[in-house]
Each structure stands twice: as structure tokens, then as C-alpha cells.
Amino acid sequence: MSERATEGQVVMPFYIVCDVSGSMCGDMADLNAGLAGLRQEIMKDPVADDLAMLSVIAFDDTARTVMPLNFPSAMELQTLSCGGLTNYTAAFQEFHRAFEADRVRLKNEGKRVFRPCIFFLTDGEPTSRDHLQVFQQLLGYDPVTKQGNPRYPYVTPFGFRSATEESMKALAYPNFGEKKGRYFLAKQGASVPSLLKAISGMIGTSVLSSSLSGTVGTFQYTPPATDASPELEGSFVD
């Protein structure tokens, strides 16, 4: 892992969790292109490239970290492939495993680690039935009793094709933490190639805005704007 961030410096970890199940097989070229474009966009800003760290987790029947957490310019892009079911449970388990290992490693390097942020991309409903239970068990936190995982992530889901508002909303508005959630759902008739391009752009803007927030004040997660794409409907807690 790159050592460019100075000791004591804040780094912001962003995990892009991608559905690569069988229904995504026709979209893999666009998904891979979107991830490559996202990396290039963040690399253009040297400050963001030194503060933001990206990782890519792919899930179908199982989940695996295909691009370990690193600064964008130090990442080694891998081509994602598709096949299998849509196991949300495996995705959350792999994120939890990866972030806990990343957090320990970064703290041992003297970094200060900002709360993790997940961008969750899926074109369908989960085939796993216990994903909300696992989500709560691994990532849940009760701000009143202070029980659970104090390092709970911010989650911004993007759903299209058969993904439902109910499923996306459940991930964006969990009952832990105080940060207001936000989720995005494709409008009827939106083309998947243009959606993936729009989503990658929205994620890039969010990462840049979030990582640069510390240069003008306090570091904070800035979710994508609800009106960032005419093909996506954004919603958030008032």
C-alpha cells in the first residue's frame, strides 16, 4: 500500500461494491469502463489522490475484493467478470472483513481513518434472505446505547433493472448512526450503459467533494446530488 499520506493524516476509504451476477453479463464492458474513468477522474486532482482511497468488491454467489484499498494512482485495475446469483449477504461480509483489515493496517501506518463509505451498485433483488440481518449484525450501531459497530459505514446504493426502492432504501436508511441516507433508483426506460456512465460520474464527484472537504474545514462525506442524473431518481431523509 502507498505510503504517500503523511503520518497522522486523514485518509477517506471508499468501497465500490459491484453486482456482477449473471444478469450483468451484457454490461461488464460498461462497468469496467466506468471504474477506469472514475479512477482517472480522481487522479486528476493531486490533493484528492492523496486523501481518497478506493477499493472494488465484486459479488455474485460469493464476494471478493478484486481491487484492494489504495490511492487511485496506485491502484491496479482488474477486469471484472460476471456469473452467478445476487448474494447481498456475501457482499456485506466481504466489506466488513476488508475494511477491518484495512483499518488496522492504516492505523499501524500512522494514518487517521475516516468513516468508510460504500457505493453499492446492483441490478437486482438479493437472492440471499438474511442480508438485512447480517447487515445489522456486522455494521449496525445504536447511537443511544452505544452498542454495535462504531465504525459503521455510510452507504449509498444505486439500483436499476429489477432492484426495488424498498431494498435500496433499507440500505441507505438503516437505524444506526446519525448521517442522513441517500439512495438512487433508475427511472423506467433508462439504458444501462448510460446509467453506469452516470453512476461512475456521480461517485467520482462524491469522492472528490468528500476528500476535498478537509481542505476547507472538517472532513465530511458528501453523497451524490439527488438531481445529478436525469435517468436516476434520488431520495434522501428530510
Side-chain angles (χ1 to χ4, degrees), residues 72-185:
S73 58
M75 291 180 72
E76 296 184 9
L77 289 181
Q78 303 293 326
T79 300
L80 302 186
S81 57
C82 64
L85 301 176
T86 311
N87 190 340
Y88 283 21
T89 297
F92 301 141
Q93 290 171 333
E94 176 59 13
F95 161 75
H96 181 259
R97 183 208 64 77
F99 173 67
E100 288 303 313
D102 291 335
R103 182 184 66 84
V104 171
R105 181 167 61 249
L106 291 168
K107 289 181 73 67
N108 287 340
E109 293 172 359
K111 313 291 195 303
R112 291 186 294 151
V113 184
F114 188 79
R115 185 171 305 285
C117 307
I118 297 175
F119 297 106
F120 188 86
L121 282 64
T122 182
D123 78 332
E125 287 293 274
T127 53
S128 51
R129 300 303 178 196
D130 61 346
H131 67 282
L132 291 179
Q133 179 183 356
V134 170
F135 185 71
Q136 186 71 34
Q137 288 175 341
L138 294 180
L139 308 177
Y141 179 70
D142 187 330
V144 176
T145 65
K146 310 299 183 184
Q147 298 298 307
N149 184 353
R151 296 175 293 276
Y152 63 88
Y154 299 134
V155 184
T156 300
F158 295 86
F160 50 101
R161 282 204 182 98
S162 59
T164 65
E165 182 177 14
E166 180 182 7
S167 292
M168 298 302 95
K169 186 174 182 179
L171 302 182
Y173 302 163
N175 59 359
F176 50 84
E178 300 174 355
K179 186 74 173 181
K180 294 180 180 180
R182 189 167 297 184
Y183 66 92
F184 295 86
L185 199 66

Side-chain angles (χ1 to χ4, degrees), residues 16-100:
I16 305 171
V17 181
C18 300
D19 180 351
V20 295
S21 59
S23 57
M24 287 289 294
C25 283
D27 310 308
M28 298 311 294
D30 295 304
L31 178 57
N32 283 305
L35 293 173
L38 166 63
R39 173 176 175 263
Q40 289 294 328
E41 186 65 25
I42 299 170
M43 284 171 54
K44 292 178 182 177
D45 191 303
V47 176
D49 190 39
D50 277 341
L51 296 177
M53 304 188 78
L54 302 180
S55 176
V56 177
I57 294 173
F59 72 96
D60 42 47
D61 294 319
T62 60
R64 56 270 178 204
T65 297
V66 291
M67 299 181 207
L69 190 72
N70 212 333
F71 298 102
S73 58
M75 291 180 72
E76 296 184 9
L77 289 181
Q78 303 293 326
T79 300
L80 302 186
S81 57
C82 64
L85 301 176
T86 311
N87 190 340
Y88 283 21
T89 297
F92 301 141
Q93 290 171 333
E94 176 59 13
F95 161 75
H96 181 259
R97 183 208 64 77
F99 173 67
E100 288 303 313

Side-chain angles (χ1 to χ4, degrees), residues 158-220:
F158 295 86
F160 50 101
R161 282 204 182 98
S162 59
T164 65
E165 182 177 14
E166 180 182 7
S167 292
M168 298 302 95
K169 186 174 182 179
L171 302 182
Y173 302 163
N175 59 359
F176 50 84
E178 300 174 355
K179 186 74 173 181
K180 294 180 180 180
R182 189 167 297 184
Y183 66 92
F184 295 86
L185 199 66
K187 294 181 180 178
Q188 188 172 5
S191 73
V192 174
S194 60
L195 280 173
L196 291 173
K197 183 177 181 179
I199 290 170
S200 64
M202 292 164 68
I203 292 174
T205 299
S206 176
V207 172
L208 285 168
S209 298
S210 300
S211 57
L212 295 176
S213 64
T215 66
V216 294
T218 304
F219 282 97
Q220 59 181 345

